[in-house]
Amino acid sequence: MMQSITILGATGSIGLSALDVIARHPQRYRIHALTAQSSVEALADLAARFKPAIAVIADPALESQLREALRSRGATSVARAGRAALVEVAQSAEVDTVLAAIVGAAGLVPTIAAAEAGKRLLLANKEAVVCAGALLVAAVQRGGGELLPVDSEHNAIHQCLAGVREAERRGARLVLTASGGPFRTRDDLETVTPDEACAHPNWVMGRKISVDSATLMNKGLEVIEASWLFGMPAERIEVVIHPQSVIHSMVEFADGSVLAQMGSPDMRTPLAYALAWPERIVSGARRLDFTQLGALTFEAPDRRRFPCLDYAYQALLRGNAAPTVLNAANEVAVQAFLDGRLRFTEIAPTIERVLAACDPAAPRSVEDVLEIDREARERALDCTALRA
Ligand code: NAD
Ligand code: MG
């Protein structure tokens, strides 16, 4: 049966990888809507190629520019703009599946809308589950759709847990693998530049998640994500550095058995899994050639040089709004680093200060989350004298 898809964040690294998989299966998938923040030309190019019914630009000032860019390419998609349009295309009755691939808490509202509407939710936007885990899980339950993780670690765990009964899951432990990022063996972190931080050894990704990988905050966010998606307490989630990025994560069962999911480091594999589940489709990813792999190695994360991992564990254990605060502070600090206003080594202390200064009650609604997020961002700007 033909699946109709909305891609939130179509012009990004995940959005483009998904479209690459989708283009290989025109008989299975059709695009209802593609969205972007401000890349009008890139969005119009995609609209001309994939012919969605609707193209949405989130920045409302760019609507007429988008309309003109579509017209000049002969693309027939309707141009829409603004945040309300993101929500509309996420919950439209014409859509079966929504890929949540916006970066940051900015993706929360349309992602929750898709969950509430019972769509199959392909979740890449980890910040949405970090800042509003309980609300997102409840929205998926109310909506009656299913959530399929795209993040490679969570996708790996989903694969390892497929067919495992609830009772056996309860005795299991999760082992998230991490590449260690570009600075695993580098000492002078003071002088790191944004381009160096974004040059990931194994994955090509957007700039925000690349910096998160370099600080290990990405793994911290993923610990919180795993806790919500698989109902696991912090003490049963472990992180191990595995520089080759071949094992994408593992599940250890009560009897000592460990299941691992392996593959080339290519996001098209988890995207194809989530798109086709429970079937399997060709993704375009290179086959693993075991004769070329050499050794697979593992080591403990260096928690002293990369304290962000522990801040995430602490936020998860603290509960309430701590993960929302952690995420907001991190987004502000990472953006400041990318803009050249903050040193790499100041990212972690900024987050620590904001976590110490803010302790709001647990959010009970999406509006609460947005308010806590806003306050934590303000605090992060104050803490580091980052205001322009
Ligand atoms: P990216 O920066 O390459 O793309 C982000 C997309 O979101 C773009 O289409 C952009 O136009 C849109 N966007 C940005 N800000 C927006 C806003 N305020 N409102 C609406 N749209 C906005 O990012 P990415 O690397 O594709 O990552 C997307 C998400 O997927 C992130 O949450 C990231 O953590 C997660 N993820 C990415 C990878 C990867 O390999 N890139 C792997 C796992 C998880
Ligand atoms: Mg990941």
Side-chain angles (χ1 to χ4, degrees):
M1 224 188 51
M2 192 67 126
Q3 256 185 74
S4 169
I5 303 182
T6 282
I7 301 185
L8 301 168
T11 54
S13 160
I14 289 288
L16 294 175
S17 294
L19 286 167
D20 182 282
V21 177
I22 287 167
R24 293 164 198 272
H25 304 279
Q27 72 295 357
R28 288 185 78 113
Y29 306 108
R30 114 177 133 240
I31 306 289
H32 173 69
L34 297 176
T35 86
Q37 166 62 11
S38 54
S39 317
V40 167
E41 302 301 322
L43 180 59
D45 285 344
L46 293 176
R49 175 161 175 220
F50 290 95
K51 306 187 179 10
I54 305 174
V56 181
I57 198 82
D59 181 344
L62 297 174
E63 184 166 11
S64 56
Q65 241 172 284
L66 175 61
R67 193 160 290 131
E68 176 52 31
L70 291 170
R71 200 197 53 75
S72 72
R73 288 164 176 81
T76 55
S77 314
V78 174
R80 300 287 312 278
R83 312 213 64 83
L86 294 178
V87 171
E88 274 173 43
V89 296
Q91 60 185 17
S92 161
E94 320 231 334
V95 170
D96 313 301
T97 299
V98 173
L99 171 59
I102 290 175
V103 57
L108 175 64
V109 171
T111 299
I112 293 254
E116 291 278 3
K119 305 305 181 193
R120 169 176 282 201
L121 180 60
L122 278 43
L123 183 76
N125 180 204
K126 67 190 80 182
E127 297 89 351
V129 62
V130 169
C131 73
L135 295 166
L136 181 59
V137 168
V140 171
Q141 269 163 9
R142 269 199 308 276
E146 56 210 340
L147 186 157
L148 290 156
V150 168
D151 213 349
S152 57
E153 296 74 7
H154 308 76
N155 190 272
I157 291 166
H158 192 277
Q159 299 198 36
C160 295
L161 287 175
V164 174
R165 295 178 311 171
E166 193 52 42
E168 280 66 45
R169 282 179 185 227
R170 279 200 291 272
R173 296 170 52 81
L174 309 182
V175 183
L176 300 185
T177 51
S179 69
F183 308 137
R184 187 171 58 89
T185 55
R186 173 168 164 169
D187 280 327
D188 58 328
L189 297 180
E190 297 276 318
T191 57
V192 161
T193 66
D195 283 345
E196 287 171 339
C198 291
H200 195 277
N202 304 338
W203 301 91
V204 181
M205 309 182 286
R207 287 173 78 78
K208 192 265 179 182
I209 184 178
S210 296
V211 176
D212 286 346
S213 300
T215 60
L216 287 199
M217 180 55 97
N218 183 51
K219 212 48 54 180
L221 299 177
E222 290 181 355
V223 168
I224 299 173
E225 180 184 12
S227 172
W228 285 111
L229 296 189
F230 304 109
M232 285 279 172
E235 60 273 18
R236 286 204 278 128
I237 308 172
E238 186 185 331
V239 170
V240 63
I241 303 292
H242 164 48
Q244 296 80 20
S245 299
V246 167
I247 293 179
H248 299 307
S249 277
M250 304 180 254
V251 179
E252 181 193 312
F253 293 97
D255 60 5
S257 294
V258 178
L259 297 191
Q261 185 263 351
M262 307 168 83
S264 302
D266 185 327
M267 289 307 293
R268 289 177 300 179
T269 296
L271 282 161
Y273 174 86
L275 279 163
W277 189 83
E279 294 170 25
R280 296 269 186 179
I281 57 172
V282 166
S283 70
R286 279 227 328 260
R287 293 183 52 223
L288 265 190
D289 180 350
F290 285 92
T291 63
Q292 297 298 314
L293 268 186
L296 298 184
T297 60
F298 305 91
E299 64 198 41
D302 183 341
R303 304 182 112 93
R304 191 185 51 80
R305 285 168 66 237
F306 301 107
C308 287
L309 180 59
D310 281 337
Y311 299 159
Y313 268 103
Q314 286 158 18
L316 178 58
L317 288 169
R318 234 169 89 182
N320 290 332
T324 317
V325 171
L326 171 94
N327 179 67
N330 182 55
E331 287 195 34
V332 169
V334 168
Q335 191 57 52
F337 167 67
L338 286 171
D339 294 343
R341 291 181 287 123
L342 192 72
R343 271 183 302 160
F344 183 79
T345 43
E346 275 298 310
I347 294 175
T350 302
I351 296 162
E352 187 183 26
R353 285 195 283 271
V354 177
L355 273 173
C358 300
D359 188 17
R364 285 183 306 187
S365 65
V366 173
E367 292 69 34
D368 286 353
V369 173
L370 297 177
E371 181 57 23
I372 294 163
D373 175 83
R374 199 187 55 72
E375 279 173 19
R377 281 169 199 268
E378 290 286 314
R379 189 67 75 133
L381 290 169
D382 287 341
C383 279
T384 48
L386 281 174
R387 281 182 201 288

